[in-house]
Amino acid sequence: MKSHDQLYIDGQWVRPQQGGTFATIDPSDESVITQVAAATAQDVDLAVKAARRAFDEGPWPHMSGAERAMILRAIANGIRERQDELAALEVRDNGKPLPEALWDIGDTAGCFDFYADLADNLDGQREQNIALADERFTSVARKEPVGVAGAIIPWNFPMLMAAWKVAPALAAGCCMVLKPSELTPLTALELADIAHQAGLPAGVLNVVTGLGQDAGAPLSEHPGIDKLAFTGSVPTGTRIMQAAARDIKNLSLELGGKSPFIIFDDSDIEAAVEWIMFGIFWNQGEVCSATSRVLVQRNLYEPLLKRLVEQTERLSIGNGMEEGVLLGPLVSRGQYDKVLAAIARGREEGATLLTGGTRPAHCDKGYFLTPAIFADVPEDSWIWKEEIFGPVVCVRPFDGEAEALRSANDSRFGLAAAVMSRDLERAERVARRLRAGIVWINCSQPTFTEAPWGGYKQSGIGRELGEWGLNNYLETKQITRYDSEQPWGWYIK
Ligand code: NAD
């Protein structure tokens, strides 16, 4: 039976070897939701060994794609059956408004269905004949699971980020160890429970809750892991990459961003304000692809800022379970303090705070913040360049397309970007010149399981979602056969 102070290892719920726990907090009132098992290196070792056994000896990697697809679909159905309970848990653990949590849970189930279809297709596409220039040989390229995957995920979309890794890894035939964020561990445990009920063989998925240093680091360093898949911040990504380098683990990284949104002056002002708000206030701005740097063409700059402030001040802030709330609390005390410090820094750097950046009057507890709009943000300021990961938008004017592109691309990040214009030819041209892995035209943030997701530059390595997400967990093997009746005749004539 599942209990929060246990880990899911080798198909069993077990207490951590050292018996430790940590508290997970409800960010809306700062109360303790429950105590969660704190895994250490010993537990991680057991989890990796269980995954290793399941991969090396178990049926999972050798089943047909269609057989694995049946279990993936059963997981999707299990998630859908419990969607209200899971969404409410996500609201409590993360703080996000309920409609957004329901959206996430729907997408989580959809992700398992999508990769079930890809697992099905894999049966017909596993081997591809290669035309060789030398007719004495025949060759095939064969897709095989990469092995045991270690997945480490953040707290902003807890169950969805798990699905983005677990669903393609299982579809490919990998076995895995998942470590959720210590700030939002609860839905990953539910996912283990649902997978267990769906009939996933023991050891194929193991879930270890715990702190980054105590559970994440040993997972990234474990020699039994073939592939590491990480989503989180750049500094942790650097550590994971260093750990992976030691034994050349296959690696994919989804890291931070400071994504630009270019708005040309032929844009509809209401649509621009709506997408700017969706781009930075959705999920409290705790979104890696949030369009947090907005560049507005000079003619539209003042009227757009006025309308943006009016609409932003109308946003209802509160407990995510309350009807009509569009902005919940930030995830944790640490994140709240970081965002407040960034706002103070922006003011010191000479940016104009038009609204927000304070605790709302009606919230005396919890990590609530009024959404902040900075205008005239200096291009060399910290708040223009660095990821804040909260409901804080930085706005600057620009004069021409070349200036907008230069400013947008002037970043060490390259996860996402957006452009808005009625002139579609211009919008398409700009989209092709933006140095980012995801570019939205006339919108910001809509994300589809079918399309590739990932960043340029320091925003990451590799792509998740779509067929690219499956390829993350596949190796390509060449099998070449000498088919000629003639002796090879090199040494023996
Ligand atoms: P984080 O890097 O602090 O933590 C991410 C995960 O890494 C957590 O599970 C944590 O416990 C673990 N971890 C921490 N230290 C570790 C270590 N030394 N070794 C191994 N694991 C360790 O990030 P966060 O605060 O949870 O998430 C916010 C960041 O994630 C932001 O920068 C955001 O942009 C990024 N993010 C990116 C994407 C994307 O798709 N590119 C999606 C969501 C979030």
Side-chain angles (χ1 to χ4, degrees):
M1 257 317 269
K2 170 181 65 66
S3 132
H4 293 139
D5 58 358
Q6 296 186 335
L7 308 165
Y8 183 68
I9 298 179
D10 210 9
Q12 317 262 346
W13 291 97
V14 294
R15 290 207 185 280
Q17 298 287 304
Q18 295 188 12
T21 59
F22 62 94
T24 184
I25 306 289
D26 180 337
S28 71
D29 62 7
E30 305 172 44
S31 65
V32 173
I33 306 172
T34 184
Q35 294 291 328
V36 178
T40 58
Q42 286 167 282
D43 306 296
V44 169
D45 184 51
L46 290 174
V48 174
K49 285 183 175 145
R52 201 65 265 168
R53 264 195 312 279
F55 187 79
D56 294 338
E57 299 162 26
W60 189 252
H62 308 294
M63 281 180 177
S64 68
E67 286 171 306
R68 287 200 296 269
M70 274 170 53
I71 294 189
L72 289 170
R73 289 198 184 96
I75 296 176
N77 291 338
I79 294 168
R80 271 191 211 98
E81 278 161 22
R82 293 174 53 189
Q83 74 166 31
D84 291 339
E85 174 207 336
L86 293 168
L89 202 55
E90 211 77 307
V91 174
R92 268 203 98 187
D93 220 7
N94 167 277
K96 63 179 72 200
L98 183 62
E100 294 186 19
L102 281 165
W103 191 346
D104 288 1
I105 302 300
D107 278 358
T108 302
C111 186
F112 278 95
D113 274 337
F114 177 82
Y115 282 105
D117 290 349
L118 260 54
D120 265 338
N121 293 345
L122 204 50
D123 285 338
Q125 298 168 359
R126 186 173 290 281
E127 294 195 357
Q128 182 195 339
N129 290 324
I130 309 292
L132 301 178
D134 187 333
E135 287 172 359
R136 294 172 299 171
F137 296 87
T138 54
S139 189
V140 293
R142 178 180 161 79
K143 292 177 183 169
E144 294 189 351
V146 77
V148 173
I152 301 177
I153 55 169
W155 43 261
N156 55 347
F157 295 91
M159 204 173 188
L160 189 59
M161 289 298 102
W164 282 21
K165 296 188 178 8
V166 175
L170 298 189
C174 289
C175 297
M176 69 190 309
V177 179
L178 169 70
K179 195 208 84 67
S181 166
E182 56 271 42
L183 298 177
T184 55
L186 298 180
T187 45
L189 295 171
E190 301 302 329
L191 180 61
D193 189 36
I194 290 167
H196 187 90
Q197 306 296 333
L200 191 71
V204 174
L205 171 67
N206 304 273
V207 178
V208 291
T209 49
L211 308 185
Q213 196 50 49
D214 299 342
L219 182 58
S220 63
E221 289 159 10
H222 201 293
I225 294 282
D226 299 301
K227 191 221 159 60
L228 278 171
F230 172 74
T231 298
S233 63
V234 173
T236 312
T238 305
R239 267 182 231 122
I240 304 264
M241 200 167 173
Q242 282 163 344
R246 257 178 257 164
D247 29 33
I248 320 290
K249 290 184 172 75
N250 180 319
L251 178 70
S252 49
L253 298 173
E254 301 283 349
L255 307 175
K258 188 76 182 182
S259 301
F261 193 169
I262 301 173
I263 313 238
F264 286 99
D265 63 7
D266 61 347
S267 303
D268 175 71
I269 197 162
E270 290 300 303
V273 167
E274 166 80 287
W275 285 113
I276 291 172
M277 291 174 70
F278 196 73
I280 186 65
F281 300 144
W282 181 55
N283 209 49
Q284 295 73 241
E286 295 165 328
V287 179
C288 51
S289 56
T291 33
S292 50
R293 288 190 293 145
V294 177
L295 290 149
V296 185
Q297 200 163 13
R298 185 98 41 199
N299 281 336
L300 200 64
Y301 188 64
E302 291 299 337
L304 182 138
L305 280 174
K306 183 166 175 288
R307 194 75 186 123
L308 181 62
V309 169
E310 280 166 15
Q311 291 292 2
T312 298
E313 288 177 347
R314 282 192 198 149
L315 272 181
S316 67
I317 304 167
N319 183 317
M321 291 307 285
E322 279 166 29
E323 180 94 32
V325 160
L326 286 168
L327 208 81
L330 301 191
V331 72
S332 66
R333 161 66 58 191
Q335 190 62 19
Y336 192 57
D337 290 345
K338 262 192 224 162
V339 175
L340 285 173
I343 291 166
R345 189 160 183 175
R347 299 178 83 156
E348 284 161 22
E349 289 179 316
T352 311
L353 183 61
L354 296 180
T355 185
T358 56
R359 176 178 282 281
H362 67 286
C363 303
D364 53 354
K365 276 187 302 197
Y367 312 126
F368 294 99
L369 185 71
T370 53
I373 301 173
F374 275 109
D376 307 331
V377 180
E379 230 182 358
D380 59 355
S381 62
W382 187 92
I383 57 161
W384 183 257
K385 288 172 177 285
E386 298 302 327
E387 185 178 50
I388 297 173
F389 223 60
V392 182
V393 63
C394 296
V395 193
R396 279 180 61 78
F398 72 89
D399 289 305
E401 185 177 316
E403 183 194 345
L405 267 169
R406 183 206 48 76
S407 183
N409 285 334
D410 182 18
S411 172
R412 70 187 169 103
F413 298 111
L415 183 56
V419 53
M420 182 169 252
S421 173
R422 282 200 173 102
D423 176 349
L424 291 184
E425 209 175 294
R426 170 166 65 183
E428 293 281 350
R429 180 173 65 234
V430 168
R432 278 157 186 74
R433 292 193 188 153
L434 284 161
R435 299 267 304 150
I438 304 138
V439 180
W440 288 288
I441 297 178
N442 291 341
C443 62
S444 173
Q445 304 308 315
T447 298
F448 301 92
T449 314
E450 303 82 3
W453 182 274
Y456 284 23
K457 304 191 248 180
Q458 290 185 29
S459 290
I461 297 176
R463 294 292 177 271
E464 295 196 294
L465 297 182
E467 64 192 71
W468 300 266
L470 186 68
N471 286 336
N472 261 336
Y473 297 93
L474 291 169
E475 285 280 16
T476 304
K477 176 187 279 179
Q478 172 200 157
I479 303 179
T480 296
R481 191 169 76 198
Y482 184 57
D483 263 343
S484 169
E485 297 293 322
Q486 297 298 317
W488 185 235
W490 192 269
Y491 293 112
I492 302 171
K493 304 284 180 195

